[in-house]
Amino acid sequence: GPSGSVRVGSIVPLMQKSPWAPEKDFTYIIGLYAYAFGLVVPADAPFKTWKDIVAHAKQNPGKLTFATPGAASSLHMGMEKLIRESGVKLVHVPFKGSLEANTAVAGAHVNMGAPGPSTKPLVDAGKTRIIQMWTRTRAKSLPDVPTLRDDGYAFEVESPVGLAGPQGMVPKIVARIHDA
């Protein structure tokens, strides 16, 4: 995606036969927001930074596990890109959604997780810690948590939400919907 981002809407046609192509079959009207993702660890985990995880994983290939809300989710794809660019081997543990992934991280059943924004209550309760944000800039509410870019990676991971219409929409209609 643009600016090195991993976008979920573009993933489906890459993984399975699809009757549509995101780059040509829609008219994009407006982006509204994107979910803020990050990497969390159990509250008492020894890892304070992603660099700590990388160092441990390089000494212990395939021993560390990470939870996501499911295989092929934007969070899974983001983790795979981060792992590949870090040169480490981690074991993916897919769950049936964020609730299960959050529970696995909080209970230290996995070493880390990318469970999505629903992890905030567990962070607030002191059950998990955010060690990295996957947003372009640091979160105002978490100014001490580095982003992927702060850690030396030239991408962010997002699931954008916006409005799109069918291919070839009349520009005046697109502008009217956009402005509304």
Side-chain angles (χ1 to χ4, degrees), residues 43-56:
D44 60 354
F47 309 115
K48 305 295 183 211
T49 67
W50 175 248
K51 289 178 183 173
D52 293 343
I53 291 170
V54 169
H56 186 84

Side-chain angles (χ1 to χ4, degrees), residues 124-136:
D124 292 345
K127 303 288 185 189
T128 61
R129 283 185 288 116
I130 301 174
I131 63 167
Q132 185 184 63
M133 290 299 296
W134 291 357
T135 50
R136 176 168 281 283

